Amino acid sequence: MSKEARPSWDSPMQFVLACVSYAVGLGNVWRFPYLCQMHGGGGFLIPYLLMLILEGIPLFCMELAIGQKMRLGSIGAWTAISPYLGGLGIASVVTSMYLCLYYNVINAWSFWYLFHSFQSVLPWAECPVNANRTGYLEECEVASPTQYFFYRETLNISSSIDENGGLHMGQALCLLLAWIIVYLFIVRGVKSTGVVVYFTATFPYVVLIIYLIRGVTLHGAWNGVKYMFTPKLEQLANPQTWINAATQIFFSLGLGFGSLIAFSSYNHHNNDFEKQAVIISLINSGTSVFASIVTFSIYGFKATFNYESCLERMRLLCLNAFDLSEESISAGNVTEWIHYLNITHPESFAAIASKIEHCSLEAELDTAVEGTGLAFIVYSEAIKNMPLSQLWSVLYFIMLLLLGMGSMLGNVTAIITPLADIKLLSRSLSSESINGLVCLLCLLLGFGFTSRSGNYWFTIFNEYAATLSLLFIVFLEVISVCYVYGLRRFERDIEDMLGHRPNWYWKVMWAVVSPLLLFSLFIFYIINYIQGGTPTYQAWDKDLGRSVVKEYPVYGQVFIALLLLSALSCVPLAALHAVCRRKQRGTAIREHRKKNSD
């Protein structure tokens, strides 16, 4: 596809919405609230916003500038900068491919929950009865209805990664549906994507606003909101807080995948990407804070509900065990009564001592849950206790689907745009065929995640497929732009597009601050990985009704190493290939000249 014939966004607004739809994803809804909870509530916003200024916005702007100037996908853009850098683009495509394989599985789970929301009683609200119809299933009773539905009904998970099994047909069909929708969204490339993003980028905000209104009116919601904004400033002395803030900005904006380069390659030459980079980055971070308020209001409701349920259980336990009037013990004084009864009736109290629970609202709020646990277990548990729970369930999982689908558009575009730039492919296959083949390949490989042990492989991809490789890719990107391509040359390119050169802020960030931050993060990840010992994972134990820690088997560790190295190795291998080709070309030219001279 020539640069002149390249399609373009219909308007700058389409491009902004596409980037917002891509950048604002599931991480804003479940990972950012988890990090806030883990690192001191409102105090976490200080390192987060600093990292946004020092790392997020400059690197986001740089990738948009590269794509808009070169008007090529990641492979073509980096090859144009230097023939030895084509591996950077290949590494981005490989990483995006890994992300596509497992990310759409989350959309399949969302479909599964959405379809099960249209029932008179939500299936995760109650335990199913056993085969004899004499009680509830034991696994569900020792866990909880929401955990049982996720681990048994949704995943039908095995007890370890070693225990394989057939495909979960329900999940496989949901995954097929998810990929069909992704294909329909991208079938005509930027023309169809540009229309879809008007919906995927805006409707999640409508749902979040509805949820905010509902969330803050729930009983106990303000306990969660207050917990979020109460800063624990001692966490600022913890290096892990700053590292997590930096990585959250990095991954939330979607840097290094090649999606931003692909999107901006469809811009007009004089599009004001500099202003758009700032706007999109601020929208993304603002959404994280906004989604956290919604999440913590619902989390506060859940924590308050569990706390008050615990108090009521203790009240009934004391009333049934001792000859007391119904009005004597209330939720407000049950703790004092427990202490009093322990002193005055030690023998009788000993009979119920094993059933006594320590009820604490603070402990409920301190329970940190991230990832799928927050999205599919904690939220589901809160939703089931709301009035009109089916309505809130449908709205929530539609929002998750749109956030996930919006991000998938960017992930798939990062793969298909470089492929469409390859003349041999674009001449022999239509863009619809290329897009279809990419989706079909990802679907077939993704079916592995719907097996009984699939969730453990999902965890491997989620934790290792896009961590070190992305840090390495973006570090090399900024070094290549500033010190291989040349910062002054890059400045002239920006002046050619915008009519002015970048100011001191952009230059200092690109040349000094961002590379140092990325290098530090890269080293930290390597040290952390080495010091962590044998990699472990959370395996579901149906007898205990909870997850237990297990070590990955040898083949799992080998796969993790291959996953880490596969994207990283693209850069040196492609550079070596370019050197060999140049030598071959030089040898051929010399032989040709020698032949002519003879």
Side-chain angles (χ1 to χ4, degrees):
M1 186 186 299
S2 66
K3 294 184 185 181
E4 293 75 18
R6 195 175 192 80
S8 300
W9 300 105
D10 290 341
S11 66
M13 178 58 71
Q14 263 192 5
F15 168 68
V16 170
L17 288 175
C19 289
V20 168
S21 182
Y22 165 63
V24 176
L26 299 173
N28 300 73
V29 174
W30 69 35
R31 180 158 172 77
F32 182 81
Y34 161 75
L35 291 175
C36 273
Q37 185 182 23
M38 189 169 69
H39 292 301
F44 181 71
L45 294 176
I46 296 172
Y48 177 78
L49 293 175
L50 273 175
M51 291 301 170
L52 174 67
I53 295 168
L54 299 177
E55 176 191 47
I57 297 176
L59 297 175
F60 197 90
C61 182
M62 185 191 74
E63 289 203 359
L64 295 190
I66 292 167
Q68 186 167 312
K69 173 63 180 176
M70 301 302 175
R71 288 184 66 77
L72 291 165
S74 55
I75 297 175
W78 291 110
T79 304
I81 287 175
S82 170
Y84 303 109
L85 292 176
L88 263 179
I90 298 172
S92 294
V93 171
V94 169
T95 306
S96 293
M97 179 68 113
Y98 290 157
L99 184 67
C100 284
L101 291 181
Y102 77 89
Y103 199 92
N104 222 19
V105 175
I106 303 173
N107 291 329
W109 295 343
S110 297
F111 271 124
W112 176 264
Y113 270 79
L114 178 63
F115 295 150
H116 281 81
S117 298
F118 297 97
Q119 298 184 26
S120 57
V121 178
L122 292 175
W124 55 85
E126 295 178 355
C127 285
V129 294
N130 58 29
N132 300 325
R133 307 190 70 82
T134 56
Y136 296 117
L137 286 175
E138 185 180 349
E139 182 182 358
C140 184
E141 282 193 305
V142 296
S144 69
T146 48
Q147 286 182 310
Y148 176 83
F149 185 81
F150 181 69
Y151 287 108
R152 185 57 52 218
E153 299 290 342
T154 304
L155 304 179
N156 193 23
I157 197 167
S158 60
S159 59
S160 74
I161 196 172
D162 296 314
E163 210 179 298
N164 297 311
L167 299 185
H168 185 318
M169 289 311 299
Q171 281 302 315
L173 290 173
C174 286
L175 184 62
L176 173 62
L177 176 61
W179 273 111
I180 288 173
I181 292 176
V182 169
Y183 176 67
L184 293 176
F185 282 177
I186 63 163
V187 63
R188 293 178 56 240
V190 70
K191 293 300 179 185
S192 57
T193 302
V195 176
V196 170
V197 294
Y198 281 106
F199 188 66
T200 59
T202 56
F203 190 74
Y205 289 98
V206 175
V207 178
L208 278 173
I209 291 169
I210 294 171
Y211 250 98
L212 178 67
I213 296 169
R214 179 65 187 123
V216 296
T217 58
L218 290 169
H219 174 61
W222 287 106
N223 290 329
V225 176
K226 184 171 68 175
Y227 180 87
M228 175 191 169
F229 283 104
T230 303
K232 298 175 182 175
L233 296 179
E234 65 273 11
Q235 280 289 327
L236 294 179
N238 181 4
Q240 191 67 44
T241 302
W242 294 85
I243 290 163
N244 282 342
T247 52
Q248 174 62 13
I249 284 289
F250 183 83
F251 295 118
S252 177
L253 289 174
L255 301 167
F257 288 103
S259 303
L260 299 174
I261 293 176
F263 276 154
S264 60
S265 72
Y266 299 112
N267 279 334
H268 294 290
H269 183 70
N270 300 116
N271 176 66
D272 191 356
F273 63 84
E274 189 177 73
K275 184 191 297 182
Q276 290 167 340
V278 176
I279 291 171
I280 295 165
S281 300
L282 292 178
I283 289 174
N284 179 64
S285 296
T287 303
S288 294
V289 177
F290 178 50
S292 291
I293 296 172
V294 177
T295 297
F296 273 92
S297 66
I298 293 171
Y299 200 70
F301 162 70
K302 172 189 169 292
T304 304
F305 181 87
N306 290 348
Y307 170 62
E308 292 180 351
S309 298
C310 176
L311 292 177
E312 181 62 17
R313 286 195 302 273
M314 295 305 98
R315 190 181 80 87
L316 292 174
L317 181 66
C318 292
L319 288 174
N320 293 333
F322 298 92
D323 186 19
L324 299 168
S325 64
E326 186 78 20
E327 298 79 18
S328 59
I329 304 180
S330 65
N333 64 14
V334 65
T335 305
E336 288 80 6
W337 267 100
I338 290 172
H339 181 69
Y340 171 75
L341 293 170
N342 187 24
I343 295 173
T344 56
H345 302 80
E347 293 181 1
S348 301
F349 190 84
I352 64 166
S354 61
K355 299 179 182 179
I356 295 294
E357 302 173 46
H358 176 63
C359 303
S360 168
L361 179 61
E362 190 70 20
E364 290 285 347
L365 290 168
D366 280 338
T367 306
V369 182
E370 86 171 305
T372 52
L374 177 60
F376 292 99
I377 297 176
V378 175
Y379 256 98
S380 296
E381 191 171 333
I383 287 170
K384 76 177 185 182
N385 296 316
M386 294 183 190
L388 298 174
S389 54
Q390 290 82 359
L391 171 64
W392 299 111
S393 181
V394 168
L395 279 174
Y396 175 68
F397 290 110
I398 286 177
M399 179 189 71
L400 279 193
L401 270 172
L402 291 173
L403 288 172
M405 287 295 176
S407 296
M408 278 301 296
L409 294 181
N411 299 333
V412 177
T413 302
I415 300 170
I416 62 177
T417 300
L419 293 179
D421 290 337
I422 299 172
K423 291 181 180 179
L424 182 63
L425 275 178
S426 61
R427 285 172 182 168
S428 57
L429 293 170
S430 65
S431 61
E432 290 85 355
S433 300
I434 294 173
N435 299 348
L437 288 172
V438 168
C439 290
L440 180 61
L441 176 63
C442 290
L443 169 65
L444 294 176
L445 293 173
F447 277 140
F449 295 115
T450 65
S451 67
R452 293 198 64 203
S453 61
N455 189 61
Y456 302 127
W457 294 101
F458 172 94
T459 303
I460 288 176
F461 273 80
N462 188 38
E463 292 182 356
Y464 299 103
T467 48
L468 276 177
S469 55
L470 282 187
L471 291 171
F472 180 70
I473 288 167
V474 181
F475 174 70
L476 285 186
E477 282 183 358
V478 71
I479 292 296
S480 300
V481 167
C482 293
Y483 302 105
V484 177
Y485 187 73
L487 186 56
R488 296 199 177 196
R489 190 176 172 189
F490 190 52
E491 287 179 53
R492 289 195 297 270
D493 290 341
I494 292 174
E495 185 178 20
D496 177 52
M497 290 185 283
L498 301 183
H500 64 84
R501 294 201 171 199
N503 60 35
W504 64 269
Y505 163 74
W506 300 109
K507 291 187 283 188
V508 170
M509 294 300 112
W510 290 330
V512 181
V513 179
S514 293
L516 287 176
L517 271 173
L518 288 167
F519 183 74
S520 300
L521 287 172
F522 185 72
I523 296 300
F524 166 78
Y525 264 97
I526 293 174
I527 294 172
N528 196 46
Y529 181 73
I530 294 171
Q531 291 182 342
T534 305
T536 59
Y537 66 101
Q538 298 283 334
W540 179 250
D541 189 315
K542 66 178 183 179
D543 297 322
L544 297 176
R546 59 182 174 83
S547 296
V548 294
V549 177
K550 290 187 177 182
E551 291 187 348
Y552 281 112
V554 174
Y555 65 84
Q557 297 174 44
V558 171
F559 185 82
I560 289 171
L562 291 174
L563 204 61
L564 290 171
L565 294 174
S566 56
L568 299 179
S569 61
C570 292
V571 179
L573 289 177
L576 183 62
H577 176 69
V579 170
C580 293
R581 284 190 63 184
R582 186 170 183 178
K583 284 184 177 180
Q584 288 174 353
R585 198 180 298 115
T587 303
I589 291 170
R590 284 194 297 272
E591 288 178 355
H592 180 71
R593 286 175 179 172
K594 185 178 180 182
K595 188 176 180 180
N596 288 340
S597 63
D598 291 342

